[in-house]
Amino acid sequence: TKSAIEHGVDVGVREVNEDFAAATRSAPGDPVRGVIAAIADGVSGGGRGLEAAQTSVLGLLADFFATPATWETSVALDRLMGAQNGWLVAQNRQRAGATDATALTTLSALVLQGQGWTVAHVGDTRIWRITGGEIQQLTHDHAYTQPDQRNRLTRAVGLDEVLHVDSLQGEARLGDR
């Protein structure tokens, strides 16, 4: 069995927070060892942002270590995120026309395995790396650049039939954060 999934968010200054984050690690003895962490920011405008964020993060973490060992990490993340997208798109289609019917979310994940890391990303939740005293943004925002539309996403889980996931891989160095 896998280790327990740890999760939680802090509401902060907002009355309602539709963010969700969690992390888990492989169980001792698993052929694929590592840690996966994911964070999602549910889109509140559709009414079901928290549902989208929670199901996306928990589904990704629950299924990641069950993917075939022959799958490259970025392929596993892409396929799992794509499957969640397909499910949310179908749910949104069934609820079309209902009040508070749309479930959309950003989704960003980090996998640590051995000395390597893999990031998979959709939306505008950012992943940063601090290495050697420098701060580097690893992800690119998928949002309109016009000032009056900056909060509108161009990519989100549940938005379109096909999900385009950005992936990035690298080597971890001692002291990286």
Side-chain angles (χ1 to χ4, degrees):
T1 64
K2 290 186 263 330
S3 63
I5 295 175
E6 300 292 329
H7 59 87
V9 294
D10 182 3
V11 174
V13 298
R14 293 183 182 172
E15 195 170 304
V16 175
N17 188 339
E18 295 185 298
D19 300 347
F20 194 81
T24 192
R25 60 186 157 87
S26 57
D30 275 359
V32 177
R33 308 264 317 156
V35 173
I36 181 171
I39 186 167
D41 181 0
V43 177
S44 58
R48 294 189 178 263
L50 182 57
E51 172 188 319
Q54 286 179 334
T55 59
S56 295
V57 168
L58 292 175
L60 182 63
L61 271 58
D63 294 341
F64 179 74
F65 291 110
T67 60
T70 56
W71 286 7
E72 214 282 325
T73 303
S74 60
V75 170
L77 292 170
D78 185 72
R79 289 182 182 177
L80 292 172
M81 290 168 78
Q84 178 64 23
N85 180 69
W87 182 79
L88 280 177
V89 166
Q91 293 298 307
N92 290 337
R93 193 177 304 119
Q94 287 179 352
R95 298 179 190 138
T99 305
D100 294 338
T102 306
L104 302 174
T105 189
T106 68
L107 182 58
S108 298
L110 169 68
V111 175
L112 303 172
Q113 292 175 311
Q115 296 301 319
W117 54 265
T118 303
V119 166
H121 166 74
V122 174
D124 63 357
T125 300
R126 297 179 184 142
I127 296 181
W128 299 79
R129 178 183 183 197
I130 301 172
T131 185
E134 294 183 20
I135 299 174
Q136 172 188 23
Q137 184 175 340
L138 298 178
T139 56
H140 169 75
D141 289 356
H142 302 131
Y144 290 100
T145 57
Q146 295 86 354
D148 60 330
Q149 294 193 19
R150 232 179 316 177
N151 293 331
R152 291 196 55 216
L153 297 171
T154 58
R155 286 192 224 170
V157 179
L159 183 62
D160 295 313
E161 293 285 332
V162 177
L163 183 68
H164 298 284
V165 178
D166 290 349
S167 293
L168 184 65
Q169 295 181 311
E171 290 270 327
R173 293 188 226 153
L174 190 61
D176 280 4
R177 290 178 179 69

